[in-house]
Amino acid sequence: MKTIIRITLLLLLVQTTLAQPPKHEVRAVWLTTIGGIDWPHTYDPYQQRQELIGILDQLQRAHINTVLIQTRVRATTIFPSAMEPWDVCVTGRPGTSPGYDPLQFCIDECHKRGMECHAWIVTIPVGKWNTDGCKQLRAKFPRLIRKIGEEGYMNPEMPQTGDYLAQFCREVTRRYDVDGIHLDYIRYPETWKLKVSRQQGRQYITDIVRKISAQVKAEKPWVKVSCSPVGKFDDLSRYQSAGWNAYTTVCQDAQGWLRDGLMDALFPMMYFQGNHFFPFTVDWKEHSYGRIVAPGLAIYMLHPREKDWSLDIVQREMSVLRAQGLGYTFFRSKFFTDNTKGVYSFTRHFNQYPSLIPPMTWARRQAPSPVKVLQVKRGMTTDQLSWYGAKDHSGADYLLYNVYASDTYPVDTREARNLLVTRQRACSLHVPHQGRTLYYAVTAVDRYGNESAPLDHGKDIDKAHKPLDTRQLIVGKSPGMNKYKRK
């Protein structure tokens, strides 16, 4: 009954008001590379990079802050791996390098835009039986891969599966400055004929997760470990999962992984609507254990060739998630950037301001020491900011910085509307001031997302000072210019 009341109140809330964009909120997209369905749409390396830049620019304009890029496709990769061959999507020829590193390029471009980049790892499925990735794994581990129909799957009941996937994820974490390792299909295939108890099956999958988490955290404890579980965790007391859920159907104890510290975030695939959506979001929220939950939304269902949903279905779901303090994740990127049914336009309005990703306080709470010095030099068209002196206490490799700006002093760094730049690594910034007198504040952020106290600049600025009149800079103080002076 409490769940029903809560859902009703949430729906009434979103019908009467549009919740203000919060300062902390995960706004993510899945960027799918299999078959190039989201990216890339060309085999030319230069055009691939330009296309990805265009996609990330669009995401940035909509204030998306997390990109989950499909990195291990089907026992194949989009980076030069010592363990598995190149995927066909990058060159059209299996096992062939495109001449650059797409994963590294995506990480660099995401970080330039203040976005997190997570390596999306497809775990158990390894592709068609006679494709390169599957064949190579079968050659290395003859008894590890099981054939179901035309597809190959790693056997979750064999210890070698967890060992191998953990080694693979550690390789990615060690070599790349990823912000997360995102596990997909970390479960039994729905076509698998389970011969053990459900409890034992959950233990097998959890053992794989435990091995991966341990290896990732041993390399870089600030890297988020996450997965995309089936969208309904289990049957609820008043709402059934229609036979398709994470916990019972495919032995995926995702809420337990949060509780036990094996994962930092979940991106449940909630590709439903109505009573198949709202009660189950409450369940995810109530069992989040202070970690990140950003449900996946089926924006592909908006397409006329899919279910032809109306946009208001997704709008309501986004509003309810925000009201509950949850994030959201779009499946897939191309439906979003194509503005299917206007979802991109709506999201730009919905996300009026940037947002920060919630800090991993369950892993580390101590914030960096604040910036000691913030200097602002005013130019004709831009303010030139520079700062230094912040100190990291996390043991990570570098600090990031958030910059805030406001027309009033002191700058309120609690408000998302004052966020100017997020997760910037450089210690300087040029800000076009458009003739206004702006006040600034800078905070340091460690790799866990913990934010320092702000250092403000502008206390000594004369608040009666008027913006520069560039006309006087050009023609001087001629009496003939009096008619142009401010009244």
Side-chain angles (χ1 to χ4, degrees), residues 204-229:
Y204 282 131
I205 301 298
T206 297
D207 286 344
I208 298 172
V209 171
R210 182 174 287 108
K211 288 178 179 179
I212 293 172
S213 181
Q215 291 295 316
V216 169
K217 297 298 184 178
E219 283 293 328
K220 297 172 183 174
W222 58 86
V223 170
K224 295 179 181 70
V225 176
S226 70
C227 76
S228 52

PDB file of all heavy atoms in Angstrom, residues 204-229:
ATOM      1  N   TYR A 204      26.718 -18.431  -8.800  1.00  0.00           N
ATOM      2  CA  TYR A 204      27.681 -18.492  -9.903  1.00  0.00           C
ATOM      3  C   TYR A 204      27.872 -17.097 -10.538  1.00  0.00           C
ATOM      4  O   TYR A 204      29.003 -16.672 -10.789  1.00  0.00           O
ATOM      5  CB  TYR A 204      27.196 -19.479 -10.976  1.00  0.00           C
ATOM      6  CG  TYR A 204      27.410 -20.933 -10.644  1.00  0.00           C
ATOM      7  CD1 TYR A 204      26.368 -21.850 -10.772  1.00  0.00           C
ATOM      8  CD2 TYR A 204      28.656 -21.400 -10.239  1.00  0.00           C
ATOM      9  CE1 TYR A 204      26.556 -23.200 -10.485  1.00  0.00           C
ATOM     10  CE2 TYR A 204      28.857 -22.750  -9.946  1.00  0.00           C
ATOM     11  CZ  TYR A 204      27.805 -23.641 -10.067  1.00  0.00           C
ATOM     12  OH  TYR A 204      27.997 -24.964  -9.778  1.00  0.00           O
ATOM     13  N   ILE A 205      26.762 -16.396 -10.793  1.00  0.00           N
ATOM     14  CA  ILE A 205      26.869 -15.072 -11.414  1.00  0.00           C
ATOM     15  C   ILE A 205      27.541 -14.089 -10.456  1.00  0.00           C
ATOM     16  O   ILE A 205      28.394 -13.278 -10.863  1.00  0.00           O
ATOM     17  CB  ILE A 205      25.479 -14.551 -11.839  1.00  0.00           C
ATOM     18  CG1 ILE A 205      24.801 -15.512 -12.830  1.00  0.00           C
ATOM     19  CG2 ILE A 205      25.599 -13.153 -12.454  1.00  0.00           C
ATOM     20  CD1 ILE A 205      25.542 -15.691 -14.132  1.00  0.00           C
ATOM     21  N   THR A 206      27.182 -14.159  -9.182  1.00  0.00           N
ATOM     22  CA  THR A 206      27.791 -13.262  -8.195  1.00  0.00           C
ATOM     23  C   THR A 206      29.293 -13.509  -8.073  1.00  0.00           C
ATOM     24  O   THR A 206      30.073 -12.563  -7.895  1.00  0.00           O
ATOM     25  CB  THR A 206      27.101 -13.424  -6.831  1.00  0.00           C
ATOM     26  OG1 THR A 206      25.730 -13.023  -6.956  1.00  0.00           O
ATOM     27  CG2 THR A 206      27.765 -12.569  -5.763  1.00  0.00           C
ATOM     28  N   ASP A 207      29.722 -14.752  -8.182  1.00  0.00           N
ATOM     29  CA  ASP A 207      31.160 -15.048  -8.133  1.00  0.00           C
ATOM     30  C   ASP A 207      31.902 -14.357  -9.274  1.00  0.00           C
ATOM     31  O   ASP A 207      33.029 -13.865  -9.093  1.00  0.00           O
ATOM     32  CB  ASP A 207      31.391 -16.558  -8.203  1.00  0.00           C
ATOM     33  CG  ASP A 207      31.029 -17.274  -6.899  1.00  0.00           C
ATOM     34  OD1 ASP A 207      30.892 -16.585  -5.867  1.00  0.00           O
ATOM     35  OD2 ASP A 207      30.884 -18.517  -6.928  1.00  0.00           O
ATOM     36  N   ILE A 208      31.278 -14.320 -10.468  1.00  0.00           N
ATOM     37  CA  ILE A 208      31.894 -13.617 -11.597  1.00  0.00           C
ATOM     38  C   ILE A 208      31.999 -12.128 -11.289  1.00  0.00           C
ATOM     39  O   ILE A 208      33.052 -11.497 -11.498  1.00  0.00           O
ATOM     40  CB  ILE A 208      31.074 -13.850 -12.885  1.00  0.00           C
ATOM     41  CG1 ILE A 208      31.042 -15.324 -13.259  1.00  0.00           C
ATOM     42  CG2 ILE A 208      31.652 -13.023 -14.040  1.00  0.00           C
ATOM     43  CD1 ILE A 208      30.091 -15.651 -14.406  1.00  0.00           C
ATOM     44  N   VAL A 209      30.914 -11.545 -10.779  1.00  0.00           N
ATOM     45  CA  VAL A 209      30.915 -10.119 -10.437  1.00  0.00           C
ATOM     46  C   VAL A 209      31.984  -9.822  -9.395  1.00  0.00           C
ATOM     47  O   VAL A 209      32.713  -8.831  -9.492  1.00  0.00           O
ATOM     48  CB  VAL A 209      29.523  -9.688  -9.931  1.00  0.00           C
ATOM     49  CG1 VAL A 209      29.563  -8.275  -9.360  1.00  0.00           C
ATOM     50  CG2 VAL A 209      28.498  -9.791 -11.049  1.00  0.00           C
ATOM     51  N   ARG A 210      32.097 -10.686  -8.382  1.00  0.00           N
ATOM     52  CA  ARG A 210      33.073 -10.465  -7.314  1.00  0.00           C
ATOM     53  C   ARG A 210      34.495 -10.469  -7.871  1.00  0.00           C
ATOM     54  O   ARG A 210      35.323  -9.633  -7.484  1.00  0.00           O
ATOM     55  CB  ARG A 210      32.913 -11.533  -6.231  1.00  0.00           C
ATOM     56  CG  ARG A 210      33.863 -11.334  -5.056  1.00  0.00           C
ATOM     57  CD  ARG A 210      33.591 -12.322  -3.932  1.00  0.00           C
ATOM     58  NE  ARG A 210      32.364 -11.979  -3.217  1.00  0.00           N
ATOM     59  CZ  ARG A 210      31.232 -12.657  -3.299  1.00  0.00           C
ATOM     60  NH1 ARG A 210      31.148 -13.735  -4.082  1.00  0.00           N
ATOM     61  NH2 ARG A 210      30.167 -12.286  -2.617  1.00  0.00           N
ATOM     62  N   LYS A 211      34.784 -11.376  -8.773  1.00  0.00           N
ATOM     63  CA  LYS A 211      36.128 -11.432  -9.352  1.00  0.00           C
ATOM     64  C   LYS A 211      36.435 -10.185 -10.174  1.00  0.00           C
ATOM     65  O   LYS A 211      37.528  -9.612 -10.079  1.00  0.00           O
ATOM     66  CB  LYS A 211      36.265 -12.683 -10.232  1.00  0.00           C
ATOM     67  CG  LYS A 211      36.326 -13.987  -9.451  1.00  0.00           C
ATOM     68  CD  LYS A 211      36.400 -15.195 -10.385  1.00  0.00           C
ATOM     69  CE  LYS A 211      36.491 -16.493  -9.601  1.00  0.00           C
ATOM     70  NZ  LYS A 211      36.549 -17.691 -10.491  1.00  0.00           N
ATOM     71  N   ILE A 212      35.466  -9.750 -10.975  1.00  0.00           N
ATOM     72  CA  ILE A 212      35.670  -8.550 -11.793  1.00  0.00           C
ATOM     73  C   ILE A 212      35.861  -7.336 -10.904  1.00  0.00           C
ATOM     74  O   ILE A 212      36.799  -6.542 -11.102  1.00  0.00           O
ATOM     75  CB  ILE A 212      34.483  -8.344 -12.754  1.00  0.00           C
ATOM     76  CG1 ILE A 212      34.430  -9.462 -13.792  1.00  0.00           C
ATOM     77  CG2 ILE A 212      34.580  -6.977 -13.438  1.00  0.00           C
ATOM     78  CD1 ILE A 212      33.179  -9.454 -14.659  1.00  0.00           C
ATOM     79  N   SER A 213      34.989  -7.165  -9.918  1.00  0.00           N
ATOM     80  CA  SER A 213      35.075  -6.008  -9.042  1.00  0.00           C
ATOM     81  C   SER A 213      36.421  -5.951  -8.328  1.00  0.00           C
ATOM     82  O   SER A 213      37.046  -4.883  -8.244  1.00  0.00           O
ATOM     83  CB  SER A 213      33.939  -6.054  -8.019  1.00  0.00           C
ATOM     84  OG  SER A 213      33.975  -4.926  -7.171  1.00  0.00           O
ATOM     85  N   ALA A 214      36.879  -7.087  -7.837  1.00  0.00           N
ATOM     86  CA  ALA A 214      38.158  -7.115  -7.125  1.00  0.00           C
ATOM     87  C   ALA A 214      39.311  -6.691  -8.023  1.00  0.00           C
ATOM     88  O   ALA A 214      40.198  -5.937  -7.601  1.00  0.00           O
ATOM     89  CB  ALA A 214      38.403  -8.521  -6.561  1.00  0.00           C
ATOM     90  N   GLN A 215      39.310  -7.158  -9.268  1.00  0.00           N
ATOM     91  CA  GLN A 215      40.409  -6.815 -10.179  1.00  0.00           C
ATOM     92  C   GLN A 215      40.371  -5.338 -10.583  1.00  0.00           C
ATOM     93  O   GLN A 215      41.415  -4.679 -10.654  1.00  0.00           O
ATOM     94  CB  GLN A 215      40.339  -7.706 -11.421  1.00  0.00           C
ATOM     95  CG  GLN A 215      40.664  -9.162 -11.166  1.00  0.00           C
ATOM     96  CD  GLN A 215      42.107  -9.377 -10.719  1.00  0.00           C
ATOM     97  OE1 GLN A 215      43.030  -8.800 -11.278  1.00  0.00           O
ATOM     98  NE2 GLN A 215      42.298 -10.182  -9.692  1.00  0.00           N
ATOM     99  N   VAL A 216      39.182  -4.816 -10.846  1.00  0.00           N
ATOM    100  CA  VAL A 216      39.061  -3.401 -11.220  1.00  0.00           C
ATOM    101  C   VAL A 216      39.494  -2.513 -10.063  1.00  0.00           C
ATOM    102  O   VAL A 216      40.283  -1.573 -10.225  1.00  0.00           O
ATOM    103  CB  VAL A 216      37.614  -3.071 -11.653  1.00  0.00           C
ATOM    104  CG1 VAL A 216      37.415  -1.560 -11.794  1.00  0.00           C
ATOM    105  CG2 VAL A 216      37.280  -3.775 -12.959  1.00  0.00           C
ATOM    106  N   LYS A 217      38.987  -2.793  -8.872  1.00  0.00           N
ATOM    107  CA  LYS A 217      39.292  -1.956  -7.710  1.00  0.00           C
ATOM    108  C   LYS A 217      40.756  -2.066  -7.297  1.00  0.00           C
ATOM    109  O   LYS A 217      41.318  -1.116  -6.738  1.00  0.00           O
ATOM    110  CB  LYS A 217      38.389  -2.327  -6.539  1.00  0.00           C
ATOM    111  CG  LYS A 217      36.903  -2.088  -6.802  1.00  0.00           C
ATOM    112  CD  LYS A 217      36.591  -0.619  -7.060  1.00  0.00           C
ATOM    113  CE  LYS A 217      35.105  -0.387  -7.214  1.00  0.00           C
ATOM    114  NZ  LYS A 217      34.753   1.034  -7.421  1.00  0.00           N
ATOM    115  N   ALA A 218      41.384  -3.214  -7.572  1.00  0.00           N
ATOM    116  CA  ALA A 218      42.811  -3.351  -7.276  1.00  0.00           C
ATOM    117  C   ALA A 218      43.648  -2.413  -8.136  1.00  0.00           C
ATOM    118  O   ALA A 218      44.703  -1.924  -7.708  1.00  0.00           O
ATOM    119  CB  ALA A 218      43.254  -4.802  -7.482  1.00  0.00           C
ATOM    120  N   GLU A 219      43.180  -2.162  -9.356  1.00  0.00           N
ATOM    121  CA  GLU A 219      43.889  -1.244 -10.246  1.00  0.00           C
ATOM    122  C   GLU A 219      43.592   0.215  -9.899  1.00  0.00           C
ATOM    123  O   GLU A 219      44.502   1.000  -9.666  1.00  0.00           O
ATOM    124  CB  GLU A 219      43.494  -1.511 -11.704  1.00  0.00           C
ATOM    125  CG  GLU A 219      44.131  -2.716 -12.328  1.00  0.00           C
ATOM    126  CD  GLU A 219      45.633  -2.553 -12.512  1.00  0.00           C
ATOM    127  OE1 GLU A 219      46.098  -1.418 -12.749  1.00  0.00           O
ATOM    128  OE2 GLU A 219      46.344  -3.569 -12.393  1.00  0.00           O
ATOM    129  N   LYS A 220      42.295   0.567  -9.880  1.00  0.00           N
ATOM    130  CA  LYS A 220      41.882   1.954  -9.667  1.00  0.00           C
ATOM    131  C   LYS A 220      40.569   1.931  -8.885  1.00  0.00           C
ATOM    132  O   LYS A 220      39.496   1.756  -9.477  1.00  0.00           O
ATOM    133  CB  LYS A 220      41.694   2.680 -11.009  1.00  0.00           C
ATOM    134  CG  LYS A 220      42.979   2.787 -11.829  1.00  0.00           C
ATOM    135  CD  LYS A 220      42.703   3.340 -13.228  1.00  0.00           C
ATOM    136  CE  LYS A 220      43.985   3.365 -14.058  1.00  0.00           C
ATOM    137  NZ  LYS A 220      43.726   3.768 -15.462  1.00  0.00           N
ATOM    138  N   PRO A 221      40.638   2.121  -7.575  1.00  0.00           N
ATOM    139  CA  PRO A 221      39.424   1.978  -6.752  1.00  0.00           C
ATOM    140  C   PRO A 221      38.354   3.023  -7.025  1.00  0.00           C
ATOM    141  O   PRO A 221      37.213   2.847  -6.614  1.00  0.00           O
ATOM    142  CB  PRO A 221      39.960   2.095  -5.318  1.00  0.00           C
ATOM    143  CG  PRO A 221      41.308   2.717  -5.438  1.00  0.00           C
ATOM    144  CD  PRO A 221      41.850   2.308  -6.762  1.00  0.00           C
ATOM    145  N   TRP A 222      38.699   4.091  -7.738  1.00  0.00           N
ATOM    146  CA  TRP A 222      37.706   5.111  -8.070  1.00  0.00           C
ATOM    147  C   TRP A 222      36.906   4.783  -9.332  1.00  0.00           C
ATOM    148  O   TRP A 222      35.930   5.463  -9.641  1.00  0.00           O
ATOM    149  CB  TRP A 222      38.385   6.471  -8.245  1.00  0.00           C
ATOM    150  CG  TRP A 222      39.446   6.487  -9.305  1.00  0.00           C
ATOM    151  CD1 TRP A 222      39.279   6.706 -10.652  1.00  0.00           C
ATOM    152  CD2 TRP A 222      40.846   6.265  -9.114  1.00  0.00           C
ATOM    153  NE1 TRP A 222      40.484   6.635 -11.308  1.00  0.00           N
ATOM    154  CE2 TRP A 222      41.466   6.368 -10.388  1.00  0.00           C
ATOM    155  CE3 TRP A 222      41.639   5.989  -8.001  1.00  0.00           C
ATOM    156  CZ2 TRP A 222      42.845   6.212 -10.550  1.00  0.00           C
ATOM    157  CZ3 TRP A 222      43.012   5.836  -8.172  1.00  0.00           C
ATOM    158  CH2 TRP A 222      43.592   5.942  -9.437  1.00  0.00           C
ATOM    159  N   VAL A 223      37.301   3.771 -10.077  1.00  0.00           N
ATOM    160  CA  VAL A 223      36.565   3.389 -11.284  1.00  0.00           C
ATOM    161  C   VAL A 223      35.272   2.701 -10.866  1.00  0.00           C
ATOM    162  O   VAL A 223      35.290   1.721 -10.111  1.00  0.00           O
ATOM    163  CB  VAL A 223      37.424   2.480 -12.184  1.00  0.00           C
ATOM    164  CG1 VAL A 223      36.578   1.887 -13.305  1.00  0.00           C
ATOM    165  CG2 VAL A 223      38.595   3.275 -12.769  1.00  0.00           C
ATOM    166  N   LYS A 224      34.142   3.190 -11.352  1.00  0.00           N
ATOM    167  CA  LYS A 224      32.843   2.639 -10.988  1.00  0.00           C
ATOM    168  C   LYS A 224      32.636   1.280 -11.659  1.00  0.00           C
ATOM    169  O   LYS A 224      32.890   1.126 -12.856  1.00  0.00           O
ATOM    170  CB  LYS A 224      31.713   3.577 -11.421  1.00  0.00           C
ATOM    171  CG  LYS A 224      31.699   4.920 -10.714  1.00  0.00           C
ATOM    172  CD  LYS A 224      30.547   5.782 -11.231  1.00  0.00           C
ATOM    173  CE  LYS A 224      30.536   7.138 -10.561  1.00  0.00           C
ATOM    174  NZ  LYS A 224      31.678   7.977 -10.999  1.00  0.00           N
ATOM    175  N   VAL A 225      32.154   0.323 -10.894  1.00  0.00           N
ATOM    176  CA  VAL A 225      31.726  -0.954 -11.446  1.00  0.00           C
ATOM    177  C   VAL A 225      30.197  -0.937 -11.467  1.00  0.00           C
ATOM    178  O   VAL A 225      29.551  -0.639 -10.457  1.00  0.00           O
ATOM    179  CB  VAL A 225      32.236  -2.140 -10.611  1.00  0.00           C
ATOM    180  CG1 VAL A 225      31.696  -3.452 -11.166  1.00  0.00           C
ATOM    181  CG2 VAL A 225      33.772  -2.156 -10.593  1.00  0.00           C
ATOM    182  N   SER A 226      29.624  -1.228 -12.621  1.00  0.00           N
ATOM    183  CA  SER A 226      28.170  -1.166 -12.771  1.00  0.00           C
ATOM    184  C   SER A 226      27.708  -2.267 -13.704  1.00  0.00           C
ATOM    185  O   SER A 226      28.519  -2.960 -14.326  1.00  0.00           O
ATOM    186  CB  SER A 226      27.746   0.198 -13.330  1.00  0.00           C
ATOM    187  OG  SER A 226      28.134   0.330 -14.697  1.00  0.00           O
ATOM    188  N   CYS A 227      26.380  -2.404 -13.804  1.00  0.00           N
ATOM    189  CA  CYS A 227      25.822  -3.332 -14.787  1.00  0.00           C
ATOM    190  C   CYS A 227      24.451  -2.833 -15.211  1.00  0.00           C
ATOM    191  O   CYS A 227      23.897  -1.897 -14.630  1.00  0.00           O
ATOM    192  CB  CYS A 227      25.729  -4.755 -14.238  1.00  0.00           C
ATOM    193  SG  CYS A 227      24.377  -5.030 -13.082  1.00  0.00           S
ATOM    194  N   SER A 228      23.906  -3.480 -16.232  1.00  0.00           N
ATOM    195  CA  SER A 228      22.560  -3.173 -16.734  1.00  0.00           C
ATOM    196  C   SER A 228      21.673  -4.389 -16.498  1.00  0.00           C
ATOM    197  O   SER A 228      21.502  -5.229 -17.390  1.00  0.00           O
ATOM    198  CB  SER A 228      22.612  -2.827 -18.226  1.00  0.00           C
ATOM    199  OG  SER A 228      23.302  -3.835 -18.951  1.00  0.00           O
ATOM    200  N   PRO A 229      21.108  -4.516 -15.286  1.00  0.00           N
ATOM    201  CA  PRO A 229      20.269  -5.691 -15.004  1.00  0.00           C
ATOM    202  C   PRO A 229      18.938  -5.626 -15.740  1.00  0.00           C
ATOM    203  O   PRO A 229      18.518  -4.567 -16.217  1.00  0.00           O
ATOM    204  CB  PRO A 229      20.063  -5.613 -13.489  1.00  0.00           C
ATOM    205  CG  PRO A 229      20.176  -4.153 -13.175  1.00  0.00           C
ATOM    206  CD  PRO A 229      21.194  -3.609 -14.145  1.00  0.00           C
TER     207      PRO A 229
END
